[in-house]
């Protein structure tokens, strides 16, 4: 307990940092994942090709490599002067969007094809059909895998500590370098991660129950 109380500001900053980068990356991943999922089921071949390429590349690229590209290449070529936090959020968000896309696409495939055909028969466009008819019905199926994806995102955020981002796992390294006992440090870092992951799981359980009531 003394390790936590004596270094409470560091643990607090690390907790807030992990929470912030998880939230920012989750929002980016969700927006991109929904968009790319739409591309994947689009009747337009170039969009389907782009969606397939996006998912294939990002799902098969090591996350650490994406961090390296985001940290050392993107600022030099595209956006000089970006903060390490934003660069890390981009790497995590892009990587996770591929998994969100596949979860959403799987949910879309559970909706009967007749729903889309009926929507087209009354003159709705593809994106209107997707937004109004398909996605609301697919949401119940998508929620459980999304919960697992965002919990994995929280744990993946530990990599950001190696790229100058303040987060929980970086606190462990900081305190270890100061000679603080590693066992209690790891214990409190693990407890902090558990608080975040259990909170995400709880939020999705509430959403699942609400969708069940709506059904």
């Amino acid at each position: 307990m003394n390790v936590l109380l004596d270094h409470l500001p560091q643990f607090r900053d690390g907790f807030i940092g992990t929470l912030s980068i998880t939230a920012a990356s989750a929002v980016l991943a969700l927006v991109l994942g929904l968009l790319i999922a739409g591309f994947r089921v689009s009747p337009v071949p170039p969009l389907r090709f782009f969606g397939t390429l996006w998912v294939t590349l990002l799902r098969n690229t090591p996350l650490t490599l994406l961090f390296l590209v985001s940290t050392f290449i993107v600022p030099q070529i595209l956006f000089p002067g970006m903060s390490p936090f934003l660069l890390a959020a981009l790497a995590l968000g892009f990587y996770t969007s591929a998994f969100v896309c596949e979860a959403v696409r799987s949910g879309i495939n559970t909706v009967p094809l007749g729903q889309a055909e009926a929507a087209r028969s009354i003159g709705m466009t593809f994106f209107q059909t997707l937004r109004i008819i398909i996605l609301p019905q697919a949401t119940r199926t998508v929620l459980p895998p999304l919960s697992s994806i965002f919990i994995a995102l929280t744990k993946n955020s530990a990599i950001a500590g190696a790229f100058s981002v303040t987060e929980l796992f970086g606190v462990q390294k900081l305190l270890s370098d100061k000679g603080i006992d590693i066992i209690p440090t790891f214990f409190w870092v693990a407890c902090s991660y558990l608080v975040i992951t259990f909170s995400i799981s709880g939020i999705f359980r509430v959403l699942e129950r609400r969708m069940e009531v709506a059904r």
Side-chain angles (χ1 to χ4, degrees):
M1 196 68 182
N2 290 337
V3 171
L4 176 64
L5 295 177
D6 292 343
H7 302 90
L8 191 58
Q10 289 90 339
F11 280 104
R12 180 198 61 209
D13 292 344
F15 183 85
I16 293 174
T18 294
L19 200 60
S20 300
I21 195 169
T22 298
S25 304
V27 171
L28 178 60
L30 188 59
V31 172
L32 287 176
L34 287 171
L35 180 63
I36 301 301
F39 288 176
R40 291 272 282 164
V41 298
S42 169
V44 181
L47 291 181
R48 288 202 306 272
F49 173 78
F50 179 82
T52 301
L53 183 65
W54 180 281
V55 170
T56 302
L57 285 177
L58 289 175
R59 289 185 71 182
N60 293 284
T61 301
L63 181 54
T64 304
L65 179 59
L66 289 180
F67 267 95
L68 290 170
V69 171
S70 175
T71 303
F72 298 109
I73 297 179
V74 171
Q76 296 183 11
I77 298 178
L78 298 176
F79 305 109
M82 284 187 69
S83 70
F85 177 87
L86 288 177
L87 293 171
L90 285 175
L92 278 170
F94 275 55
Y95 178 78
T96 308
S97 70
F99 297 90
V100 172
C101 168
E102 289 302 278
V104 173
R105 187 173 70 91
S106 297
I108 290 173
N109 288 337
T110 64
V111 179
L113 185 59
Q115 299 278 344
E117 293 174 346
R120 284 197 295 269
S121 70
I122 61 174
M124 295 179 69
T125 66
F126 168 74
F127 284 105
Q128 284 177 327
T129 302
L130 194 65
R131 179 173 57 87
I132 300 173
I133 306 297
I134 305 299
L135 285 179
Q137 296 184 69
T139 302
R140 289 190 294 267
T141 307
V142 169
L143 285 176
L146 281 184
S147 175
S148 299
I149 289 169
F150 289 138
I151 288 173
L153 167 62
T154 304
K155 293 181 283 188
N156 287 338
S157 68
I159 300 176
F163 295 89
S164 304
V165 177
T166 301
E167 51 79 46
L168 280 169
F169 205 72
V171 172
Q172 175 272 322
K173 185 177 184 305
L174 176 66
L175 297 184
S176 295
D177 291 343
K178 291 183 177 180
I180 306 300
D181 191 352
I182 194 171
I183 294 178
T185 302
F186 267 123
F187 174 78
W188 290 114
V189 168
C191 288
S192 300
Y193 275 112
L194 285 174
V195 169
I196 298 175
T197 55
F198 280 149
S199 298
I200 293 173
S201 180
I203 290 170
F204 274 91
R205 278 199 300 270
V206 170
L207 291 175
E208 289 175 38
R209 284 198 296 268
R210 292 191 62 179
M211 295 301 295
E212 288 174 358
V213 172
R215 183 175 5 181

